[in-house]
Amino acid sequence: MTFTDQLLQFVLSGVMVGSIYALIALGFTMVFNATEAINFAQGEFVMLGGMSAVAFYGARVPLPLACLLAVLLVTAVGLLFERFTLAPLKRVSVMNLIIITIGGSIFLKGSAMLTWGKDAASLPSFSGDTPIRVLGATLLPQAIWILGTSLVVVAAVRLFFDHAAVGKAMRAVAANRFAATLMGIDVKLMVACSFALSAAVGAVAGIIITPVALTAFDRGTILGLKGFSAAILGGIGSGPGAVLGGLLLGVLEAMGAGFVSSGYKDAIAFLLLILMLLVRPQGLCGARGSRKA
Amino acid sequence: MKRLAALLVLPLLALLGVAGSALAQETYKVGAVLSITGPASYFGEDERNTLMLLQDQINARGGINGKKLEVVIYDDATDPTKSVTALKRLHEEDKVLAVIGASISGNALALIPFSEKAGVPQLVPAASGKISNPVKKWVFQFCNTDVQSIARILGFLQAKGVKKIAMLNDSTGYGVSGKEELDRQAPGKGFEVVAAETFGPNDTDMTPQLTRIKAAGARAVIVWNATPASAIVAKNFKQIGLDALQIQSTAFVSPRLLSLAGAAADGIILTGYKLPIVDQVPASDPQRKIIVEYRDAYLKRFGKEPNPFGALVHDAFTALVKVLETAGVDREKIRQGLESLKGFMGANGTYTTSATDHNGYAVESLQMLVVETGKFKPVH
């Protein structure tokens, strides 16, 4: 393999993993915009997506339907999560909200373990396992699915926020909660919507990655942290930033593993997180991040 | 007067002493520290089930020397710190006669200093060579070591005429220990290690590492890790079209990993045990009866076949029970018993120990297996 072939392989692998990080980061962004809190249960939504799709598929539900049911189920979990943890509270600090989401994530992880057991599980690839050659590198058909689905989800989220009434209302809440209330927007409902939407996006990420990377009850934590790093990297609260941060993180990790030392892959992600917070706390695309922080 | 008091007190003390030891002898208490949750749970769960099964079997037969056997099991969540806490609890609160654990080498190694200090025998069902080399007074290993497995694999590759090899291990104690062993053995046997890569136990994609290995031109890749991530490695291996032998460690010998890797598992060669291929073992092999008995009882109670890691604990535990029959509750005698096993036959192999060898696993018990159409087969 020539150097350029290797480079291409690292970039392709990085983009595949990175687009998963991007979807997770997008989930962080949506909840942050609505509540100014970091939802540390975001990674658990990803895990729940993968695990419930495996469970449905195991119950002989056809694969596409199993994936759809999993997304719906996790969306419902997202709504319930908000209803039972954040909604009952009045006037709490952002710090309290964050701690509550950490507690919630432990609860979700434990429930998944008790429901589905501790074994790792997998789904069949959506369109086979025959690798596709791209010049000197290779790609699994599932990677195309991951990239395609991520693109569709990102575009759909963008359209939703730009054109749908609910999406615009959610943006209004993000921009100025008080003014939005005065305009007759139901802020509580919008917060619930943001949780439902972020859970749905997380579930999609969890489902499409399961055929290549397996899933297990404890898989959510590290994916959540990576998505969080991506969100910070891109600028928390910024949609395009989440996507950019995710892809960048994925590619840098793959390059780091390939060219520097594969043992330091996770260290690279978290080193970037620390550097970004020190040098440019608002992230690559975030202008408002510094004000909010 | 003082003399009289002493005369009175002494028998009292003696009485108390007798009563105390009689109380302690009502049950034989044995402890276990296992990774029932966390990344290594697929060892720990079958190991715990095995202990529960054997405990009930032995008690149903009337216990040991007429005394009931009690196994106290704690979960370390695959965390070395928690395993130490659990061990101390077994030593200090439960006052067990011996401890089985931990499920993985990293945790087992963390326990060793505490077993040594407390003088409580520790029976280890994990593979790192460091566990029994150098010999620790109170520590016994009931598993083929990576020293043995690597030697067996290198011998196999020598016979195949492979010279250029690569190592891909995870960053846990198990992976690192395997890498160190390869570095020690490979150069002397004429191998060239052209690439050495690592990955984290929770990683989702190992194509960068395998790409490097492919670029280095390795003819065989030795994969050393003990988590389901090895199924991802198997998939990535096929994805990038790596034209080399894929050798996995004994940790891969699990039907669950096989189903996770799916078609990507075909062609993988590994060191393993007779349990997965027991139906192909000749009836004349005395080990067959032990394995079938264990497998069938396990299947009946838990509704699935045990994986070979459960069988490691089976072997440690049955050896311990045999020793307890003669040694009783004296820890030093238990230690001596564990040190003088002579061809003790378990489900995964036979064990012969001595004062200078606390890992009695007979290397001949180790099988070379190959995965063919999703099944383990002996290598011919």
Side-chain angles (χ1 to χ4, degrees):
Chain A
M1 271 184 120
T2 63
F3 178 78
T4 44
D5 287 349
Q6 288 186 56
L7 187 70
L8 184 65
Q9 184 69 55
F10 298 152
V11 171
L12 287 178
S13 299
V15 168
M16 183 193 82
V17 178
S19 52
I20 295 294
Y21 294 164
L23 289 184
I24 303 169
L26 208 54
F28 275 108
T29 297
M30 286 188 267
V31 170
F32 178 81
N33 279 340
T35 63
E36 297 191 11
I38 306 293
N39 172 24
F40 277 109
Q42 187 61 35
E44 307 313 324
F45 294 151
V46 178
M47 174 275 293
L48 284 177
M51 291 300 278
S52 52
V54 169
F56 284 124
Y57 183 71
R60 293 174 200 284
V61 177
L63 188 58
L65 189 61
C67 295
L68 186 69
L69 285 176
V71 174
L72 291 177
L73 178 78
V74 178
T75 309
V77 170
L79 271 176
L80 290 176
F81 186 81
E82 195 272 342
R83 181 82 359 217
F84 286 108
T85 56
L86 305 189
L89 305 166
K90 286 182 185 127
R91 272 216 298 267
V92 286
S93 70
V94 167
M95 185 51 91
N96 287 359
L97 288 181
I98 294 176
I99 302 289
I100 288 168
T101 67
I102 294 176
S105 82
I106 295 170
F107 171 77
L108 289 178
K109 193 199 274 190
S111 310
M113 186 187 91
L114 292 174
T115 314
W116 293 307
K118 286 162 288 193
D119 288 332
S122 189
L123 282 175
S125 300
F126 296 174
S127 25
D129 287 311
T130 317
I132 301 162
R133 291 197 69 83
V134 183
L135 301 174
T138 51
L139 208 57
L140 283 177
Q142 188 66 24
I144 310 275
W145 273 101
I146 291 174
L147 291 176
T149 313
S150 305
L151 267 177
V152 169
V153 169
V154 168
V157 167
R158 188 70 202 249
L159 282 175
F160 174 75
F161 280 114
D162 282 355
H163 297 287
V166 181
K168 284 183 185 171
M170 283 169 76
R171 270 172 59 209
V173 172
N176 190 328
R177 185 179 270 245
F178 184 61
T181 316
L182 293 180
M183 293 298 129
I185 293 172
D186 185 345
V187 172
K188 283 209 145 183
L189 184 70
M190 292 306 123
V191 170
C193 278
S194 76
F195 266 87
L197 208 56
S198 71
V201 172
V204 170
I207 293 166
I208 56 180
I209 196 163
T210 296
V212 288
L214 315 178
T215 184
F217 81 96
D218 57 354
R219 195 43 68 80
T221 312
I222 190 81
L223 283 174
L225 282 175
K226 293 288 176 68
F228 175 62
S229 304
I232 294 289
L233 200 60
I236 186 98
S238 156
V243 176
L244 183 68
L247 292 177
L248 198 63
L249 184 63
V251 172
L252 285 175
E253 265 191 9
M255 296 276 183
F259 289 128
V260 187
S261 162
S262 44
Y264 291 106
K265 208 172 120 191
D266 289 346
I268 291 167
F270 300 127
L271 190 70
L272 275 175
L273 174 69
I274 293 168
L275 278 180
M276 194 45 112
L277 286 172
L278 284 175
V279 179
R280 194 179 153 85
Q282 73 272 36
L284 293 173
C285 302
R288 310 168 317 167
S290 52
R291 179 175 62 81
K292 293 210 164 191
Chain B
M1 193 59 206
K2 262 187 183 169
R3 250 199 174 153
L4 190 65
L7 275 174
L8 277 172
V9 166
L10 272 175
L12 254 172
L13 280 176
L15 261 173
L16 278 172
V18 169
S21 62
L23 271 175
Q25 278 183 26
E26 284 197 347
T27 56
Y28 282 180
K29 230 181 196 184
V30 172
V33 181
L34 303 173
S35 300
I36 302 169
T37 58
S41 63
Y42 85 112
F43 293 95
E45 193 156 325
D46 286 23
E47 291 172 347
R48 176 201 53 195
N49 290 350
T50 299
L51 286 180
M52 282 160 41
L53 176 75
L54 293 174
Q55 171 195 275
D56 294 350
Q57 279 181 351
I58 287 160
N59 285 335
R61 270 181 231 142
I64 304 171
N65 303 338
K67 305 277 186 334
K68 252 188 84 184
L69 177 71
E70 187 189 344
V71 188
V72 186
I73 304 170
Y74 293 128
D75 176 21
D76 66 21
T78 324
D79 177 344
T81 318
K82 283 188 190 149
S83 72
V84 170
T85 316
L87 183 83
K88 286 186 170 165
R89 208 168 139 196
L90 287 171
H91 286 168
E92 286 158 22
E93 283 178 35
D94 301 304
K95 305 202 187 306
V96 295
L97 296 172
V99 175
I100 294 176
S103 295
I104 58 168
S105 294
N107 292 10
L109 288 166
L111 300 184
I112 286 175
F114 298 94
S115 296
E116 288 289 291
K117 208 171 145 206
V120 179
Q122 180 189 350
L123 292 79
V124 184
S128 170
K130 290 182 217 155
I131 290 164
S132 56
N133 181 33
V135 171
K136 326 279 186 304
K137 189 176 176 197
W138 295 93
V139 180
F140 299 86
Q141 191 169 18
F142 284 82
C143 181
N144 52 307
T145 60
D146 37 21
V147 182
Q148 293 172 320
S149 302
I150 296 269
R152 188 72 204 261
I153 288 166
L154 291 181
F156 171 81
L157 291 176
Q158 269 179 328
K160 287 248 167 198
V162 173
K163 292 264 177 260
K164 281 182 158 185
I165 57 174
M167 183 77 176
L168 177 62
N169 60 278
D170 75 4
S171 53
T172 66
Y174 182 80
V176 174
S177 174
K179 166 74 169 55
E180 286 171 5
E181 201 42 48
L182 185 86
D183 286 345
R184 209 175 58 76
Q185 294 189 22
K189 291 180 176 166
F191 288 100
E192 186 193 347
V193 182
V194 294
E197 299 287 329
T198 58
F199 59 91
N202 278 321
D203 279 4
T204 49
D205 178 43
M206 286 63 150
T207 48
Q209 289 93 327
L210 288 165
T211 302
R212 290 253 296 210
I213 288 171
K214 189 180 178 185
R219 303 304 308 143
V221 185
I222 301 175
V223 184
W224 217 257
N225 84 305
T227 63
S230 48
I232 304 178
V233 172
K235 288 182 180 190
N236 292 160
F237 204 97
K238 290 275 151 75
Q239 180 204 331
I240 66 159
L242 188 43
D243 181 25
L245 287 172
Q246 184 182 171
I247 317 273
Q248 292 256 9
S249 76
T250 313
F252 196 79
V253 57
S254 150
R256 263 169 262 165
L257 276 179
L258 216 50
S259 73
L260 282 179
D266 285 351
I268 289 175
I269 294 165
L270 63 149
T271 53
Y273 310 107
K274 287 179 188 166
L275 175 66
I277 51 163
V278 68
D279 295 324
Q280 297 160 63
V281 171
S284 57
D285 187 335
Q287 216 184 332
R288 187 185 157 115
K289 188 171 160 278
I290 298 172
I291 300 169
V292 169
E293 228 168 63
Y294 164 61
R295 183 193 62 180
D296 292 353
Y298 191 107
L299 185 66
K300 197 173 155 221
R301 173 148 170 195
F302 301 105
K304 57 179 183 184
E305 285 191 19
N307 66 34
F309 315 113
L312 292 173
V313 162
H314 168 278
D315 293 2
F317 189 73
T318 48
L320 178 63
V321 168
K322 187 169 178 279
V323 167
L324 286 176
E325 279 165 5
T326 49
V329 293
D330 184 336
R331 290 198 183 87
E332 172 58 28
K333 278 193 185 148
I334 296 170
R335 194 192 73 78
Q336 286 167 8
L338 289 170
E339 200 171 73
S340 43
L341 297 173
K342 298 259 178 308
F344 175 81
M345 190 175 282
N348 277 346
T350 55
Y351 304 83
T352 304
T353 50
S354 69
T356 53
D357 182 7
H358 278 195
N359 173 19
Y361 189 85
V363 72
E364 307 80 57
S365 308
L366 209 53
Q367 313 287 308
M368 287 305 289
L369 307 179
V370 61
V371 181
E372 278 172 17
T373 56
K375 293 254 182 314
F376 293 112
K377 299 271 163 66
V379 170
H380 295 296

